[in-house]
Amino acid sequence: MAMYSYRSMDASGSVIKGHVGAVNEDELEQRLKNMGLELISCKEAVTVFSFVRRRVSRQELINFCFHMEQMSRVGVPIIESLVDIRDSMDNPRFREIISSMLVSIEGGKTFSEALSEYPDLFDDVFVSLVRAGEHSGELSKVLLNITESLKWQDEVAAQTKKVLMYPAFIGIIVLGVILFLMIYLVPQMVGFIQNMGHDIPTHTRFLILVSDITTNYWYLILGAPVMFYFMIMYLAKMHAGLRYQMDRMKLHVWLIGPILRKIILSRFANYFALLYASGVSVLQSLELCEDLVGNRVISLALINVRQEIEEGGGMSESFASVGLFPPLVLRMIRVGENTGRLDSSLLNVSYFYNRDVKDSIDKLQTLLEPAITVILGLVLGWVILSVLGPIYDIISQVRM
């Protein structure tokens, strides 16, 4: 669907300008007629969507859901709610998307069908939840649940960044210090030692070798990891087996892997609870969650769970068979299955994992700070011993 910039005329003869998404100019003209407008001229809005193309942030999506929930709760029609949100929206891309959704709804589509036209912004779970809310007549309740879920996702994303960014930041600082020592400081001090003409210890010779390699091939040292990363990503995109093995490796990386597993399973439990509470069947909820967990190992496990349930297996037994969930979580699922309150039990699972993730992140940071300090201290100690040790020996011999 392309985005068109148009000039049109309403019934009173006023000229109205705007942007609307349409497959072609004929569909654009029909959409404007449905809005009571006559098309004067149009052109494809390449500049807005190809060059600017500002992303819609999660916070803006949260605000959108919050406003729609508030409007729906007090009985304001969907079209009027979207008009109010569009007029107050700062993000130009989101504003144009809402304008296009208005045209679709005025053309006879439902709210969920209009949302489904933008899968990059509104995923399958979002659309399925809204569709379930439309069918059940509880759209405001569904939108409230989506808003709370998005807030939770924002918190989980912040926790994930906290896990990854802190070690990366400290690692960059340590790498910068090591490069400074090897490229600038060590060559100057080693040059003095070599000019004295005395024998150089083995550990100092090794330091000189490392310094020479770093000085002459620093661009390879910095560029090789980046090239390796993109090469692996390309190969993973081309080979499904490699993608699966990479996702498996992510779940077993020392310290980070267990935390990542808990974050993924917490996200799954939260999505599953929302879908089930909105009236989506267990099998359909599992099918929607398979593509949302973001890890092929866990996705395959959920496929196996769904297949076992389709074959008549119990839910708790099917989850237990994949070996991903601890006994406490399986017990919660079993209780929810027996009491008919599976959504509440799944939200308890999400809470359990979310709390565990926070504790794990705090423990990880507590371990990383002294570990990185020790690593940096060992590198500095090696440099000092290798450089100042021979200098001290030379000075001692001169005194004798």
Side-chain angles (χ1 to χ4, degrees):
M1 178 180 293
M3 183 61 61
Y4 287 92
S5 175
Y6 68 86
R7 293 177 69 249
S8 63
M9 182 179 297
D10 62 12
S12 64
S14 302
V15 175
I16 298 175
K17 299 179 180 179
H19 297 82
V20 169
V23 176
N24 50 44
E25 293 185 11
D26 292 336
E27 183 179 347
L28 170 64
E29 186 174 5
Q30 184 61 44
R31 287 193 169 200
L32 292 177
K33 284 184 179 179
N34 294 334
M35 298 171 62
L37 302 174
E38 289 292 332
L39 177 64
I40 299 175
S41 63
C42 67
K43 63 179 180 178
E44 192 169 345
V46 178
T47 53
V48 173
F49 270 75
S50 297
F51 296 105
V52 178
R53 199 167 183 83
R54 176 179 167 187
R55 287 184 66 253
V56 177
S57 67
R58 185 181 284 111
Q59 189 60 48
E60 289 171 327
L61 190 57
I62 291 172
N63 292 335
F64 170 79
C65 294
F66 174 77
H67 284 297
M68 291 299 297
E69 183 268 327
Q70 293 293 310
M71 296 289 190
S72 177
R73 183 185 296 275
V74 298
V76 179
I78 292 292
I79 291 180
E80 294 182 18
S81 303
L82 288 174
V83 170
D84 290 340
I85 296 172
R86 180 198 60 187
D87 294 340
S88 62
M89 187 67 62
D90 294 328
N91 188 325
R93 182 175 180 235
F94 205 179
R95 187 166 58 247
E96 301 304 340
I97 288 175
I98 294 175
S99 298
S100 183
M101 288 169 53
L102 277 167
V103 175
S104 297
I105 294 173
E106 290 173 341
K109 292 186 177 181
T110 63
F111 183 38
S112 59
E113 290 173 340
L115 293 173
S116 66
E117 294 178 353
Y118 301 93
D120 57 330
L121 180 59
F122 306 105
D123 56 31
D124 291 341
V125 169
F126 196 109
V127 175
S128 297
L129 287 171
V130 172
R131 185 182 298 114
E134 289 173 334
H135 291 166
S136 64
E138 297 185 347
L139 183 59
S140 60
K141 181 180 178 181
V142 169
L143 289 170
L144 176 61
N145 290 336
I146 294 175
T147 303
E148 295 301 321
S149 176
L150 289 172
K151 290 179 180 179
W152 171 83
Q153 290 177 44
D154 197 49
E155 183 179 353
V156 172
Q159 293 172 358
T160 306
K161 290 179 181 178
K162 191 177 180 181
V163 173
L164 299 177
M165 294 303 294
Y166 180 77
F169 175 74
I170 299 299
I172 290 173
I173 292 178
V174 172
L175 180 61
V177 171
I178 293 174
L179 288 176
F180 170 76
L181 292 174
M182 296 300 172
I183 295 175
Y184 179 75
L185 185 61
V186 171
Q188 292 188 356
M189 302 186 72
V190 168
F192 170 75
I193 298 173
Q194 291 175 330
N195 292 333
M196 295 297 294
H198 288 74
D199 292 335
I200 300 177
T202 302
H203 56 84
T204 304
R205 292 180 183 276
F206 182 68
L207 177 64
I208 295 173
L209 175 63
V210 173
S211 178
D212 290 340
I213 293 174
T214 305
T215 302
N216 296 323
Y217 302 102
W218 60 269
Y219 53 91
L220 290 178
I221 296 174
L222 294 178
V226 177
M227 294 176 61
F228 179 76
Y229 171 79
F230 284 108
M231 182 183 69
I232 291 295
M233 290 297 103
Y234 174 77
L235 292 175
K237 186 177 180 181
M238 301 299 295
H239 302 283
L242 180 59
R243 291 199 301 269
Y244 181 85
Q245 293 302 325
M246 287 180 60
D247 284 345
R248 177 182 293 277
M249 182 182 65
K250 290 177 185 177
L251 298 178
H252 294 87
V253 174
W254 182 61
L255 294 179
I256 302 295
I259 297 177
L260 180 60
R261 178 191 294 259
K262 293 170 185 175
I263 290 174
I264 293 172
L265 293 178
S266 177
R267 183 191 307 149
F268 157 72
N270 187 267
Y271 275 132
F272 195 5
L274 285 179
L275 289 165
Y276 184 80
S278 300
V280 182
S281 67
V282 170
L283 293 177
Q284 189 177 357
S285 298
L286 283 171
E287 187 175 1
L288 288 169
C289 290
E290 288 164 10
D291 296 327
L292 295 172
V293 292
N295 186 282
R296 290 164 185 82
V297 176
I298 296 179
S299 179
L300 181 60
L302 294 179
I303 292 174
N304 294 333
V305 169
R306 179 166 57 87
Q307 290 175 348
E308 288 194 21
I309 295 175
E310 287 177 340
E311 294 171 359
M315 183 178 297
S316 56
E317 291 79 7
S318 300
F319 275 103
S321 65
V322 299
L324 287 176
F325 296 89
L328 176 60
V329 174
L330 294 174
R331 193 176 301 114
M332 290 182 184
I333 294 176
R334 187 179 298 110
V335 170
E337 185 181 14
N338 294 333
T339 61
R341 297 180 58 85
L342 184 60
D343 52 339
S344 299
S345 297
L346 288 169
L347 288 175
N348 287 334
V349 171
S350 179
Y351 170 77
F352 168 79
Y353 275 120
N354 200 26
R355 185 189 62 183
D356 205 5
V357 166
K358 290 180 180 179
D359 294 340
S360 299
I361 290 174
D362 292 337
K363 292 177 182 177
L364 179 60
Q365 284 192 315
T366 304
L367 290 173
L368 282 176
E369 292 176 2
I372 293 174
T373 302
V374 169
I375 292 173
L376 186 57
L378 290 174
V379 172
L380 291 175
W382 172 48
V383 172
I384 292 172
L385 178 64
S386 301
V387 173
L388 298 185
I391 294 177
Y392 179 78
D393 293 339
I394 294 170
I395 293 174
S396 300
Q397 291 178 10
V398 171
R399 289 180 178 178
M400 293 176 62

